[in-house]
Amino acid sequence: MASTPTFVLFPLLLVLPFLASLGFAGADTASTSLVSTGTICMYTPYPSICRSNLPSNDTGDIYYYGRASVRKSLSQAQKFLSLVDRYLARQASLTISAARALEDCRFLASLNLDFLLNSFQAVNATSSALPILKADDVQTILSAILTNQMTCLDGLQSTASAWSVKNGLSVPLANDTKLYSVSLALFTRGWVPKKKKGNGGARAWQPKSRQLPFQNGRMSFTMSSRARGIYESVTRRTLLQSSGGDAVSVSDIAVVSQDGTGNFTTINDAVAAAPNNTDGTGGYFLIYVTAGVYEEYVSIAKNKKYLMMIGDGINQTVITGNRSVVDGWTTFNSATFAVVAPNFVAVNMTFRNTAGPAKHQAVAVRSGADLSVFYSCSFEAYQDTLYTHSLRQFYRGCDIYGTVDFIFGNAAVVFQNCNLYPRLPMSGQSNMITAQGRTDVNQNTGTSIQNCTIRAADDLASSNTSVQTYLGRPWKLYSRTVYMQSFMGSLINPAGWQIWDGDFALSTLYYAEYDNTGPGSNTTNRVTWPGYHVINATDAANFTVSSFLVGDGWLPQTGVSYTSGLI
């Protein structure tokens, strides 16, 4: 895990009571009131940055100022990308670690340009609250922009030899991040419905009764006759069926097999062959990866949309690598498998980083893929195993192994029916299952862990050491994590949660537990931080698939089973 940034967002909670007195309480209250720049900027985390970037000596409503802020954000993002390119042009004079950190920044800045362009198109189209799904789309990508900024900064700060680069980029990076925070605040105020998300009913969506259970069943797809012949000859499991009972649609299939009997011998070649920028109307491009150990670093780019990847099962189809921070990679680019393409689905696969505990941060999977699903997969590493970086993600029936901060990031993510396996760390280390990275009170991000099981991995269970295991610690100021309806083994420390550094974030974080079971679930001796809560069903419903991910709007098309609300 990278260190905490040297700048943090101003605690908006301190100014909210004052804002409420001005009428800024929700999207449907006083949205069309004409106010001055100074007044509107009091609603944001950074009033001075807001005033310096919005039209001065003017009056307007929330929509006028929101559009101006997003427009200015887009302009600044273009300037920052150009600045990074100028540093990269001098790559010959940079250390390898500094160049890698800059390459991360360039990659993330490019994503931000796309996100801001989409955001501006959305806010420019209407001067009223958006429909729920559209509002969640835009709030999600504005939240991801802030996450991308922080990731760039974290990478630069961890590169000790890149002082001149950090010195030149830190100020514009910090100022731009504050401006993006202003844009997110104004969007949330003006375009997000006051009740954006439902309360998460208890409806559970499952495949139709004629579909056999996943372990013994057969996947039902629509696809070309050539692809169907290949598929029927190689699979005896699956997946999936849409909520309406129709088969999940697949446009074509590619088979990866190391013995040369498939279309490709490497996963990367199959990904390269997938179509670009599809809209999903023709179905998923399916990559079937036969059993084997694939020593590849796989990166699925943003243009490889609607890609579905299926293996032969956990520990049968394995993708493995060993990059780590100790060996000169940033945490971000240490991942064995990375995906940013929207609407990605992975099933029946194992993802590993074998760098080991002594190599510190070493990621098995990094996902910044919006509306993505991992189903019946295993993630294996030590520190920083699974990087749920950004946007909206869902994990069902997965196994996750690790030690320090082994589920971390700043996505809006729900883990459901998963097994979390803390492992044996290095001597003197404790296990922290989560390290959530929310930096802004308006980000719709957090980690929700529902109906999961927490037990010691075999190496930890059989050790004679007294390793302390905690539910999580606050990586960033507004860290948000909820455990609900899960089984917690006796390995969980009675305090439940661990500090990051002194009293950092203890009053601004949101950590909660609801209706958990097992010897580690007793909350009697939990931490007494202001941000820690034992919550009721009403509050817990806010972190269900239907509410937190607005998942009923997009999960059915993936065919993956899920529980919409509380169990």
Side-chain angles (χ1 to χ4, degrees), residues 12 15-16 19 22-33 35-55 60-73 116 119-120 122-124 126-130 135 138-139 142-143 146 177-194 440-443:
L12 185 59
V15 75
L16 284 178
L19 298 175
L22 295 177
F24 297 125
D28 53 7
T29 305
S31 295
T32 57
S33 299
V35 296
S36 68
T37 303
T39 298
I40 204 73
C41 286
M42 288 303 299
Y43 174 61
T44 71
Y46 298 102
S48 61
I49 289 288
C50 176
R51 288 192 299 271
S52 64
N53 283 280
L54 295 188
D61 62 12
I62 187 70
Y63 304 107
Y64 170 75
Y65 290 115
R67 279 189 281 271
S69 182
V70 175
R71 186 187 299 109
K72 181 67 173 181
S73 294
L116 282 165
S119 299
F120 183 72
V123 300
N124 203 41
T126 183
S127 292
S128 62
L130 292 167
V138 180
Q139 189 177 13
L142 288 173
S143 297
L146 291 174
T177 301
K178 293 173 183 177
L179 174 60
Y180 302 158
S181 181
V182 168
S183 293
L184 176 59
L186 295 177
F187 176 81
T188 303
R189 166 67 184 91
W191 283 269
V192 175
K194 190 172 184 181
D440 189 295
V441 73
N442 287 304
Q443 286 179 309

Side-chain angles (χ1 to χ4, degrees), residues 67 70-75 77-78 109-125 134 138 141-142 145 180 302:
R67 279 189 281 271
V70 175
R71 186 187 299 109
K72 181 67 173 181
S73 294
L74 182 59
S75 173
Q78 292 168 328
S110 177
L111 291 177
N112 281 354
L113 273 179
D114 292 344
F115 292 160
L116 282 165
L117 181 58
N118 289 339
S119 299
F120 183 72
Q121 290 171 343
V123 300
N124 203 41
K134 183 61 177 178
V138 180
I141 59 176
L142 288 173
I145 289 166
Y180 302 158
K302 64 184 180 181

Side-chain angles (χ1 to χ4, degrees), residues 483-503:
Y483 285 82
M484 54 191 188
Q485 302 177 311
S486 294
F487 176 88
M488 300 179 178
S490 59
L491 74 165
I492 300 299
N493 184 287
W497 306 82
Q498 180 62 286
I499 64 169
W500 183 273
D501 183 16
D503 62 357

Side-chain angles (χ1 to χ4, degrees), residues 213-399:
F214 174 83
Q215 288 82 358
N216 302 314
R218 179 184 298 275
M219 194 171 202
S220 178
F221 283 120
T222 57
M223 60 181 80
S224 68
S225 58
R226 179 189 70 82
R228 180 176 292 282
I230 295 171
Y231 184 81
E232 294 292 344
S233 70
V234 296
T235 55
R236 291 295 181 269
R237 72 204 51 77
T238 91
L239 204 70
L240 309 167
Q241 203 170 51
S242 72
S243 58
D246 299 327
V248 171
S249 180
V250 170
S251 60
D252 207 348
I253 184 171
V255 178
V256 180
S257 181
Q258 292 176 322
D259 64 7
T261 59
N263 308 97
F264 304 97
T265 58
T266 70
I267 298 168
N268 277 306
D269 285 345
V271 171
N276 296 331
N277 294 315
T278 60
D279 61 6
T281 55
Y284 290 94
F285 183 85
L286 173 62
I287 298 177
Y288 170 63
V289 187
T290 63
V293 178
Y294 295 81
E295 297 182 3
E296 299 185 53
Y297 294 98
V298 179
S299 182
I300 301 178
K302 64 184 180 181
N303 61 342
K304 300 295 182 178
K305 301 175 181 178
Y306 289 94
L307 191 151
M308 181 178 286
M309 189 175 292
I310 304 175
D312 268 330
I314 290 174
N315 294 330
Q316 298 301 308
T317 298
V318 180
I319 305 176
T320 185
N322 62 3
R323 289 175 177 169
S324 69
V325 168
V326 169
D327 288 336
W329 301 90
T330 62
T331 301
F332 186 79
N333 60 32
S334 70
T336 301
F337 186 95
V339 55
V340 295
N343 302 96
F344 174 78
V345 180
V347 184
N348 281 353
M349 305 184 74
T350 290
F351 305 91
R352 287 183 185 150
N353 189 314
T354 62
K359 292 299 180 75
H360 297 286
Q361 296 95 333
V363 175
V365 167
R366 186 195 80 235
S367 177
D370 198 21
L371 310 178
S372 60
V373 176
F374 288 83
Y375 185 30
S376 190
C377 291
S378 183
F379 306 86
E380 302 173 10
Y382 289 86
Q383 182 170 350
D384 288 6
T385 301
L386 177 55
Y387 195 172
T388 56
H389 181 261
S390 55
L391 302 166
R392 292 164 290 191
Q393 307 179 25
F394 179 65
Y395 296 74
R396 171 87 175 194
C398 293
D399 299 335

